[in-house]
Amino acid sequence: NAGVTQTPKFRILKIGQSMTLQCAQDMNHNYMYWYRQDPGMGLKLIYYSVGAGITDKGEVPNGYNVSRSTTEDFPLRLELAAPSQTSVYFCASSYSGGRDYEQYFGPGTRLTVT
Amino acid sequence: ILNVEQSPQSLHVQEGDSTNFTCSFPSSNFYALHWYRWETAKSPEALFVMTLNGDEKKKGRISATLNTKEGYSYLYIKGSQPEDSATYLCAFETNNFNKFYFGSGTKLNVKP
């Protein structure tokens, strides 16, 4: 199993550009999550999904969109990138809603918006 | 927005010292409390998932306790080793759609 994979690893965007961060898992997990990690801070939940076709906002959803058309994939879309979106983005998945189930994290995508 | 607080922010100990950190979280809407170990340039790795008041979990030299009534969890490391150097994160999972709220972590540095 590859686990949770994320692409790209690094990206520099200009203000106003758009991009999609890819996340895929091959563990047949129902739950998938997107987090951002800012310097000196913990992880903030952006969006999450409890299954294909079902997504919901987390703590910091503004400026982002997600979709979940398959169990395996959970892409995060940034429209009109802003410097405040400079961060490290982590995707995670778990079999179910956390109780007795671990979250598995991807390697992260480091995004800089200038 | 939920507040999950971890203390201390950072800790420097000598090899062989035992140490502990605290995670404070709201006592309402509790579903589970998670501990993660996060090494620099890697992804967070799950240590424990704790669900019941009074839970104690152990993995090698690392153990954790949970008090859901007063809203705190302790993580203990016995006989710290340099390879224990990492940031230790806790996350509070709500019973409202299983949302996760992370603390900002305790950064542990163990000197040989």
Side-chain angles (χ1 to χ4, degrees):
Chain A
N1 284 356
V4 181
T5 57
Q6 290 183 238
T7 55
K9 286 190 177 175
F10 305 95
R11 184 72 187 268
I12 298 174
L13 277 184
K14 292 192 186 306
I15 294 171
Q17 285 185 320
S18 301
M19 78 164 292
T20 299
L21 280 66
Q22 301 291 345
C23 173
Q25 52 88 12
D26 61 358
M27 298 174 281
N28 204 29
H29 284 171
N30 295 316
Y31 285 57
M32 294 187 76
Y33 307 82
W34 273 107
Y35 296 94
R36 58 177 286 171
Q37 189 232 349
D38 299 321
M41 309 283 284
L43 297 166
K44 300 281 187 188
L45 183 64
I46 305 171
Y47 270 95
Y48 68 105
S49 168
V50 302
I54 307 169
T55 62
D56 205 352
K57 295 176 182 178
E59 221 178 329
V60 289
N62 292 344
Y64 306 95
N65 273 307
V66 293
S67 59
R68 184 101 182 265
S69 54
T70 66
T71 300
E72 294 78 20
D73 300 298
F74 190 39
L76 178 73
R77 178 89 180 152
L78 277 72
E79 306 280 2
L80 299 174
S84 60
Q85 293 178 304
T86 294
S87 189
V88 182
Y89 291 83
F90 288 94
C91 178
S93 73
S94 67
Y95 181 70
S96 184
R99 180 168 279 198
D100 297 329
Y101 294 107
E102 302 172 1
Q103 278 195 7
Y104 292 83
F105 283 80
T109 294
R110 186 174 293 274
L111 176 68
T112 303
V113 182
T114 60
Chain B
I1 293 181
L2 269 153
N3 242 5
V4 177
E5 296 191 357
Q6 289 188 247
S7 61
Q9 221 172 0
S10 65
L11 202 50
H12 298 263
V13 302
Q14 288 294 134
E15 182 175 353
D17 287 350
S18 292
T19 186
N20 64 85
F21 336 124
T22 305
C23 173
S24 301
F25 52 87
S27 51
S28 58
N29 299 118
F30 178 85
Y31 190 75
L33 193 282
H34 301 253
W35 280 101
Y36 294 86
R37 182 171 180 273
W38 194 357
E39 288 181 73
T40 304
K42 293 190 177 179
S43 310
E45 288 183 6
L47 283 172
F48 305 115
V49 180
M50 308 177 78
T51 57
L52 298 174
N53 185 43
D55 253 356
E56 288 189 30
K57 298 250 173 141
K58 190 175 179 184
K59 193 181 280 190
R61 293 179 290 98
I62 305 177
S63 60
T65 60
L66 179 68
N67 184 323
T68 58
K69 291 185 179 176
E70 294 180 44
Y72 65 84
S73 174
Y74 294 136
L75 188 80
Y76 301 91
I77 301 179
K78 188 177 175 183
S80 303
Q81 299 297 306
E83 57 265 30
D84 295 328
S85 297
T87 296
Y88 292 83
L89 288 176
C90 70
F92 171 78
E93 184 182 359
T94 70
N95 58 11
N96 177 18
F97 301 109
N98 302 109
K99 289 185 179 178
F100 277 70
Y101 295 87
F102 279 80
S104 53
T106 293
K107 188 168 184 176
L108 175 67
N109 182 31
V110 183
K111 297 176 191 173

